[in-house]
Amino acid sequence: MNQEANTNRGGCRSWWRNCDVEADSEILAIDQMEDSIGPLDTHTTQIRQLIARFESCYHQADKEAERIAKAIGAGRRPTESSARPPKRRKELQNSRRILSRWCKNTTIRDLNLDVGGIRADQLLSFIGEPSPLKVWQVERVVDKVIEALDPNRPSHRMVLDLGDYGEPGAYPTGEYYRDDASFLEQTKNTLIHDTVDGRKARISLGLSIDLLMPCHWDFVGSLVTILKAIGGDLHPPRPFACCSRNLGLSPLCDRVRTISNTLRSFWRGSKRIKDIDRDVLASLGPATTVKRWLAASLDKTIRLQLEASSDFWLTFS
């Protein structure tokens, strides 16, 4: 056995930590494929690690899935860069410039900047009339953006103590802000009213700031919702999306699903599966046991993420 089957709450091997599910019959069958291979070589292990880090909510999830498929075909992990894509980096940089300047001078205007096409003056208008509480809340947003641009300057959680894969107690919450306890409580108690997969839901402003992710497909939309909530608009016309919350609204879902179909056609050796990408299929090359296992792993990971229950997010209501 190449992986110990004991790290996920559902008894899955650690490869499946980004799915947060119990091992079903298909996962067990895929694990058996792994066992039949014998000891994994370095390249195979590295590719499987890429799959274990794949997130369908990533703002370039389609490109990442294609990149992993090509790696499966080539038999080696591609060269990676820690640099953020230029468009997202610009959005983050401009968010920091606009909001940090407002925190220092709430009367500032005429900033010739935008975030995802939304002008600075429009973003700031969402906040409304300034107050000490609003400045403190916007500073927490700035902290999240700064962390995204410089991981050596981490932000501090207000509400969410879960780790990257749902580990409870992974992060201390609130203690850092004990000198601002009143602001913290008001932020935690401010509730945004929206929907999760069409069902009525609520999420606290504090939690939404904790969940403002720079790599998320709807970073700009999430930022707008948060700034409007700080300004008192707690009923956004567009549901708040973060992590798997409202993932179905992502414009990348259809493309990622097509890649999943293609992978499934490859590893099952089936020509009956519809909506596949011939170029992705060609990039996988001739089928081998290792390729079939890796393709099955990515296919299953994508399907589990896209089909995940939204009930978890309703527990915050």
Side-chain angles (χ1 to χ4, degrees):
M1 181 180 294
N2 294 304
Q3 278 278 317
E4 293 297 328
N6 60 1
T7 56
N8 264 14
R9 283 175 287 174
C12 291
R13 299 181 181 184
S14 62
W15 294 135
W16 302 101
R17 63 182 178 270
N18 54 338
C19 299
D20 192 29
V21 293
E22 295 185 5
D24 61 17
S25 59
E26 189 173 25
I27 287 178
L28 294 175
I30 294 171
D31 288 346
Q32 289 176 355
M33 293 170 65
E34 176 190 357
D35 295 340
S36 72
I37 296 170
L40 304 180
D41 62 33
T42 299
H43 294 303
T44 302
T45 300
Q46 289 176 338
I47 295 170
R48 188 59 183 88
Q49 288 170 342
L50 287 179
I51 298 170
R53 297 202 304 267
F54 178 82
E55 296 292 347
S56 296
C57 60
Y58 176 47
H59 68 101
Q60 291 191 332
D62 53 342
K63 294 180 180 178
E64 180 65 6
E66 291 174 5
R67 192 173 76 97
I68 297 174
K70 289 179 181 178
I72 293 172
R76 62 178 58 244
R77 184 180 67 182
T79 302
E80 294 187 86
S81 171
S82 60
R84 293 194 183 279
K87 182 175 182 292
R88 179 51 53 90
R89 183 168 182 81
K90 182 180 179 181
E91 291 170 347
L92 291 166
Q93 290 173 333
N94 284 356
S95 297
R96 179 188 61 185
R97 290 167 182 155
I98 294 167
L99 298 178
S100 61
R101 290 179 189 178
W102 181 86
C103 289
K104 294 176 182 177
N105 177 11
T106 58
T107 64
I108 195 167
R109 296 293 183 272
D110 301 324
L111 290 173
N112 188 26
L113 296 169
D114 72 90
V115 177
I118 303 175
R119 301 186 318 275
D121 58 344
Q122 186 177 5
L123 277 176
L124 296 177
S125 73
F126 298 148
I127 303 171
E129 290 297 316
S131 70
L133 172 62
K134 289 181 179 181
V135 171
W136 187 87
Q137 291 170 335
V138 174
E139 285 175 342
R140 305 290 71 78
V141 177
V142 173
D143 288 345
K144 291 288 294 185
V145 175
I146 289 175
E147 178 183 40
L149 292 168
D150 183 1
N152 293 319
R153 299 175 63 183
S155 61
H156 301 276
R157 302 280 184 94
M158 289 184 281
V159 179
L160 186 68
D161 70 342
L162 299 179
D164 293 340
Y165 298 106
E167 311 91 329
Y171 293 95
T173 58
E175 182 179 347
Y176 183 82
Y177 302 113
R178 58 181 176 272
D179 292 337
D180 299 305
S182 176
F183 287 166
L184 175 62
E185 286 305 306
Q186 290 180 75
T187 305
K188 289 166 61 176
N189 292 332
T190 298
L191 297 178
I192 298 169
H193 300 257
D194 67 348
T195 58
V196 171
D197 293 343
R199 293 184 285 178
K200 289 183 178 180
R202 297 182 297 179
I203 185 169
S204 85
L205 175 57
L207 180 57
S208 67
I209 294 173
D210 282 348
L211 289 169
L212 182 63
M213 303 295 181
C215 55
H216 192 265
W217 67 270
D218 196 32
F219 168 77
V220 175
S222 298
L223 178 64
V224 168
T225 297
I226 289 170
L227 294 180
K228 285 185 174 182
I230 291 173
D233 182 355
L234 302 176
H235 295 82
R238 177 176 174 175
F240 183 72
C242 61
C243 303
S244 63
R245 193 180 198 267
N246 286 312
L247 176 58
L249 298 178
S250 169
L252 302 179
C253 279
D254 287 345
R255 175 59 184 162
V256 172
R257 190 173 286 109
T258 295
I259 296 171
S260 175
N261 292 342
T262 306
L263 292 162
R264 191 157 64 259
S265 174
F266 173 81
W267 75 265
R268 288 185 178 176
S270 172
K271 296 182 179 180
R272 296 182 178 181
I273 297 174
K274 306 298 182 182
D275 186 25
I276 67 170
D277 186 305
R278 297 292 176 184
D279 291 335
V280 172
L281 186 62
S283 73
L284 292 165
T288 65
T289 302
V290 170
K291 287 183 182 181
R292 289 182 61 250
W293 170 60
L294 291 170
S297 299
L298 180 55
D299 165 38
K300 182 66 171 178
T301 294
I302 291 172
R303 283 186 285 128
L304 286 171
Q305 291 181 356
L306 294 183
E307 298 165 6
S309 169
S310 58
D311 290 350
F312 168 77
W313 294 107
L314 296 174
T315 63
F316 296 101
S317 298

